[in-house]
Amino acid sequence: MLKILVLGSAAGGGSPQWNCNSEVSKAVRERKNGASPRTQSSIAVTSNDINWFLFNASPDLGSQILNNEQMHPKKDLRHSPISGVVLTNGDVDHVAGLLTLRERQNLSVYAHKRVHSVLKSNSIFNVLNPEYVDRREMMMNEKFELMDKKGDGVGLEVEAFEVPGKIALWLEDESKGKDFGTQAGDTIGLRISSKEAGESFYYIPACARMTDDLANRIEGSKVVLFDGTLWQNDEMASSRVGEKTGQRMGHMNNSGNDGSIEAFKDLGVKRKIFIHINTTNPILLEDSDERKIVEENGWEVSYDGMEIEV
Ligand code: MLT
Ligand code: MN
């Protein structure tokens, strides 16, 4: 048994984004076109309905816990079913929720050493008291079992691997050339499996392009949750809310010859699910042409509270 709970299906900023008045954000505020509010990027996973791990911790984590009964304290005066967190990069939408997890709770936080070094150099993350919170380095291309703070396995195994991406926006260094100082390990994908039954799925909320290595990994898999940030590369400009392209932000677009719909066409993935979707992306509107195209190509658009059994 492997259960996934989508806590937040939107990209950084959420949908609606607080200062955005473009089509989707507006429609969500006005509850039009089947447009639902979405919080920022995170999922929770369990293989026993008791111990859950978060994969990324979004700035909306407080309301995500409130809105999902599975995340509530179950026993004792202080308790959480959340045993720990695995981080896929250092983006604000993926790490800011760690600050919500203060208050002396046992947790383990797994990340690539690049992301750990970022957390270490920001003293605000010291609210995660080291007496209670273990920070564990995640090796790439090695399967291991996630363990709670006490060192007990929670029945979930993870294999992390590097994917094309970009250093977190707030760490970009223009003096370091066109990739702003990006290094291997700044963006990773995960294969998550249940130790007992062996079911598995892939969680890749950011990816700049399909590589042969990635295609080989995910070919024939049951479920892939994949970077759904933008419908097209120049969407921020065409929606007149910014000028950055998807490629500049480290995200491949859904559509087009270089997009994810095309890249997944012959990979035989049984459930393909977009996650980390930006509020400019028209696939968020249930009655849009783009949503129709996505669905015709066998993709699902994740939503907050979505439950997936693998
Ligand atoms: C991204 O996924 O590109 C980032 O979350 C952007 C951001 O930090 O706003
Ligand atoms: Mn992001």
Side-chain angles (χ1 to χ4, degrees), residues 202-210 214 218 224-229 252 260 264 272-277 299:
Y202 286 86
Y203 174 56
I204 309 166
C207 183
R209 108 191 101 77
M210 181 62 72
L214 182 55
I218 62 179
V224 179
L225 294 165
F226 195 74
D227 184 341
T229 311
M252 71 193 279
S260 40
F264 273 70
K272 303 174 282 190
I273 304 172
F274 281 129
I275 198 157
H276 189 283
I277 308 161
W299 283 82

Side-chain angles (χ1 to χ4, degrees), residues 10-12 41 89 91-94 205-206 229 251 276:
S41 184
N89 60 21
D91 283 0
V92 171
D93 53 344
H94 287 163
T229 311
H251 299 292
H276 189 283

Side-chain angles (χ1 to χ4, degrees), residues 74-203:
K74 305 285 178 216
K75 54 183 185 194
D76 305 331
L77 287 174
R78 282 286 168 89
H79 172 259
S80 173
I82 300 168
S83 300
V85 186
V86 181
L87 302 170
T88 61
N89 60 21
D91 283 0
V92 171
D93 53 344
H94 287 163
V95 302
L98 292 174
L99 302 177
T100 300
L101 296 173
R102 67 192 192 280
E103 315 296 9
R104 297 151 67 101
Q105 184 68 37
N106 280 339
L107 294 166
S108 43
V109 178
Y110 291 86
H112 189 281
K113 66 173 185 301
R114 286 274 294 165
V115 174
H116 275 309
S117 71
V118 166
L119 301 180
K120 196 166 171 214
S121 61
N122 274 270
S123 53
I124 195 167
F125 289 104
N126 293 344
V127 295
L128 299 174
N129 181 339
E131 265 181 55
Y132 294 87
V133 181
D134 268 7
R135 301 185 188 193
R136 299 181 183 152
E137 182 183 336
M138 204 158 45
M139 297 309 193
M140 298 296 105
N141 307 306
E142 266 178 33
K143 188 162 85 171
F144 64 94
E145 184 176 9
L146 295 174
M147 291 188 294
D148 65 13
K149 157 79 171 140
K150 282 194 297 189
D152 292 332
V154 300
L156 292 171
E157 292 181 323
V158 164
E159 183 180 342
F161 49 90
E162 287 154 3
V163 296
K166 186 185 68 65
I167 193 168
L169 177 62
W170 57 285
L171 294 167
E172 286 183 2
D173 181 347
E174 302 234 336
S175 71
K176 290 193 172 151
K178 70 172 181 19
D179 60 6
F180 313 100
T182 300
Q183 289 183 24
D186 281 334
T187 309
I188 60 171
L190 301 171
R191 178 176 188 270
I192 301 163
S193 44
S194 97
K195 190 179 178 198
E196 204 137 281
E199 300 107 345
S200 67
F201 73 98
Y202 286 86
Y203 174 56

